[in-house]
Amino acid sequence: MDEFSLIEKYFDRPVTRLDVSLGIGDDAALTIVPAGYELVSTVDVLVAGVHFHESADSHSVGHKAVAVNLSDLAAMGATPAWATLGLVIPEVDGLWLERFCAGFFALAKRYEVDLVGGDTAQGPLTVMVQLSGWVPQGTALQRRGAGPGDYIYVTGRLGDAGLALMHINGEIDLPPDQATAVQQALDYPDPRVEMGERLRSLASAAIDISDGLAADLGHLVTRSEVGAEVSLAHLPLSKPYQAHFDEIGWEAALSAGDDYELCFTAAPGHHPEITSIAGQLDVAVTRVGTITADRKIIFVDRDGHGYAPKTAGYAHFRS
Ligand code: ADP
Ligand code: MG
């Protein structure tokens, strides 16, 4: 099968959105951004052996390639709309592509995202998804904007993807039910798209947690030119995490990454509304600390002592 039959067989599907005037099949796609809205664009590259294991089920690779981009749009408060896909594969493996597409299109459909174009090449397995969406002009959430006194929140639970990696690497030993639960967090992150949209009018700043709370909150406070005090006892940890806390400590929650949860800040007056939205969307939202004027992050443990994360968040090229 050559490149063109591959595209036709797996990726050239009818568009469903009215704002797509031209999808796959031409030199580029044409889409319509509604008047009064800004286009929000993001791209993430997933490299086999770096971001996922070569032998990983391609269903989860397809899901995750979309999910990590949806998570970036969520952190901007954007409504997702269109995707393009850069796919580099070593060979045409029908089963791999079938499962990849199943994972990819299931999540895309859930958020009414149309695949409108891409590029396909032969080479080392790499998946690059580019996602676009929109926000009413001037309403996008950004990393800058947090002010002293704002509450700091995180969605979902932190550290489960890190736990899954520790289990795979033999650093901890989880019973099968717990292993399955944390593996789900690693393979099928659930992007907080609706939460991001609802936070447009409430949050002062936001970021998605891909490299660990410590690193990503670090980016937020740097951009906002503020500091933060985080209470470790308030970090939302899953049951498996709590059960193995003595072995893991705070590190997986602070630095393991791959959480794809949102970290955002808001003025205390918005707390009741944020709590109510969390209930409506059935997404855990936990207040973990407060923004300070002093430009550093302080983590306070259960005994009130300062805690310094042992490892920095994930960064490519760091030796
Ligand atoms: P060009 O050479 O002009 O870049 P291609 O031959 O690469 O065009 O692609 C033909 C059409 O198929 C284009 O519309 C392109 O957007 C689309 N396409 C190619 N690869 C993919 C892919 N992996 N997923 C979705 N669309 C793709
Ligand atoms: Mg091309």
Side-chain angles (χ1 to χ4, degrees):
M1 186 185 304
D2 72 6
E3 181 190 334
F4 302 107
S5 6
L6 184 154
I7 295 164
E8 195 182 312
K9 173 155 185 202
Y10 294 102
F11 298 113
D12 192 359
R13 307 187 175 200
V15 296
T16 61
R17 301 180 60 93
L18 298 174
D19 52 16
V20 178
S21 4
L22 187 60
I24 291 174
D26 217 297
D27 289 312
L30 299 175
T31 54
I32 300 162
V33 182
Y37 288 77
E38 284 171 293
L39 183 68
V40 186
S41 312
T42 185
V43 64
D44 263 307
V45 180
L46 301 190
V47 180
V50 179
H51 300 95
F52 61 93
H53 199 274
E54 276 94 349
S55 65
D57 180 0
S58 54
H59 190 278
S60 80
V61 177
H63 174 98
K64 205 161 170 175
V66 178
V68 298
N69 282 286
L70 286 170
S71 181
D72 281 322
L73 289 191
M76 302 296 292
T79 302
W82 317 288
T84 54
L85 167 66
L87 187 63
V88 184
I89 45 177
E91 78 224 318
V92 179
D93 174 344
L95 195 60
W96 192 94
L97 284 162
E98 290 283 354
R99 300 230 6 107
F100 175 82
C101 286
F104 183 102
F105 286 109
L107 185 57
K109 190 171 169 212
R110 201 165 110 205
Y111 290 104
E112 296 173 20
V113 169
D114 273 348
L115 180 65
V116 296
D119 198 25
T120 308
Q122 188 166 20
L125 182 58
T126 302
V127 180
M128 193 209 70
V129 171
Q130 184 270 332
L131 206 61
S132 304
W134 41 259
V135 289
Q137 210 162 349
T139 67
L141 301 174
Q142 298 179 35
R143 295 175 180 188
R144 57 180 294 177
D150 285 356
Y151 288 175
I152 304 168
Y153 298 89
V154 297
T155 60
R157 314 228 174 282
L158 299 180
D160 279 3
L163 240 64
L165 282 175
M166 291 173 78
H167 178 72
I168 292 166
N169 295 334
E171 294 160 33
I172 53 167
D173 190 21
L174 300 175
D177 58 323
Q178 293 184 1
T180 308
V182 296
Q183 188 71 39
Q184 176 77 11
L186 178 65
D187 292 340
Y188 290 93
D190 194 3
R192 304 305 183 186
V193 176
E194 297 90 350
M195 180 65 67
E197 292 174 308
R198 298 288 294 273
L199 289 173
R200 281 203 291 250
S201 53
L202 294 170
S204 49
I207 188 167
D208 81 313
I209 308 175
S210 52
D211 299 325
L213 175 68
D216 288 317
L217 177 59
H219 298 313
L220 186 151
V221 298
T222 302
R223 274 303 182 108
S224 294
E225 302 182 355
V226 292
E229 186 170 322
V230 173
S231 162
L232 294 172
H234 292 148
L235 295 185
L237 307 180
S238 67
K239 290 221 167 65
Y241 196 131
Q242 290 175 32
H244 293 264
F245 183 82
D246 288 348
E247 295 155 77
I248 309 160
W250 302 113
E251 289 305 306
L254 292 179
S255 308
D258 256 2
D259 294 309
Y260 301 106
E261 296 294 348
L262 296 182
C263 172
F264 63 93
T265 59
H270 290 314
H271 187 74
E273 196 171 348
I274 287 169
T275 307
S276 137
I277 291 170
Q280 288 164 34
L281 298 179
D282 197 21
V283 173
V285 173
T286 311
R287 182 187 166 205
V288 297
T290 309
I291 293 294
T292 59
D294 201 8
R295 286 203 202 173
K296 59 182 184 214
I297 304 185
I298 301 171
F299 296 97
V300 181
D301 72 12
R302 290 192 177 111
D303 305 321
H305 299 129
Y307 176 88
K310 292 184 185 65
T311 46
Y314 189 80
H316 296 268
F317 307 114
R318 190 182 278 150
S319 49

